[in-house]
Amino acid sequence: MSLNLIKLCVGCDSVEDLEEWIAFRLDERWRAGEPVEHYHTTRMMPTRSAEVTDGGSLYWVIKGNVQCRQLITEIRPFTDDEGIGRCHLILDPAVVLTEWQPRRAFQGWRYLKPSDAPADLSKGKAGLVEMPPKLRRELADLGLL
């Protein structure tokens, strides 16, 4: 059974910001002749990595709400230049919109059971996907999303 991770998406004001950042970083790697893959670096190595890479996703908290997720395809541990153990969470660059779920701020990442994860936005909720991010945020702040 798969297990997910949840993390704050620091520096992004919207899912669109995250998608632009991913596109920028992939282009940057391509131009540098590096492998074109998207990853997030974290200090803590998930001890349950086999469960996470078995179909788990990284759910992003943006502006106090889980708003999207990315599939975790691999976890690569490494030691940085200062001798600190870290890992790369290798992510599918495709961002999947989810139903908004309020979350308080926390440090690092946390495990997220599939039963606690917000559902992907279905085709029946296409209007939410097409809604401008600012309007979605205002409706969420009012508790209407």
Side-chain angles (χ1 to χ4, degrees):
M1 184 169 177
S2 65
L3 185 63
N4 304 301
L5 300 179
I6 186 169
K7 184 164 184 4
L8 299 182
C9 192
V10 178
C12 286
D13 290 330
S14 66
V15 173
E16 292 76 13
D17 280 353
L18 176 61
E19 291 172 325
E20 288 173 13
W21 184 83
I22 292 168
F24 173 79
R25 295 292 293 168
L26 290 174
D27 185 56
E28 193 175 59
R29 287 192 177 89
W30 178 79
R31 290 178 189 275
E34 298 173 359
V36 181
E37 61 184 8
H38 176 57
Y39 61 84
H40 177 75
T41 304
T42 184
R43 192 172 64 101
M44 301 302 292
M45 172 74 178
T47 56
R48 299 170 68 181
S49 59
E51 293 172 83
V52 172
T53 56
D54 186 28
S57 291
L58 177 59
Y59 283 78
W60 289 110
V61 178
I62 301 172
K63 293 293 186 182
N65 290 286
V66 175
Q67 296 186 30
C68 61
R69 67 177 179 86
Q70 290 180 272
L71 182 67
I72 301 171
T73 59
E74 188 180 347
I75 298 175
R76 290 186 200 145
F78 71 99
T79 303
D80 69 10
D81 296 338
E82 298 173 359
I84 299 172
R86 301 187 184 279
C87 74
H88 289 307
L89 303 175
I90 311 301
L91 304 169
D92 185 317
V95 175
V96 179
L97 296 175
T98 64
E99 293 180 357
W100 283 28
Q101 185 183 75
R103 288 289 173 144
R104 293 184 183 196
F106 57 92
Q107 290 185 332
W109 54 262
R110 303 283 185 267
Y111 289 114
L112 180 66
K113 292 185 277 185
S115 59
D116 295 335
D120 293 349
L121 279 182
S122 63
K123 295 191 187 310
K125 296 187 179 183
L128 286 176
V129 174
E130 296 167 3
M131 192 180 298
K134 184 177 178 185
L135 181 57
R136 279 196 314 246
R137 191 169 19 261
E138 289 175 5
L139 290 173
D141 290 344
L142 293 170
L144 300 173
L145 282 185

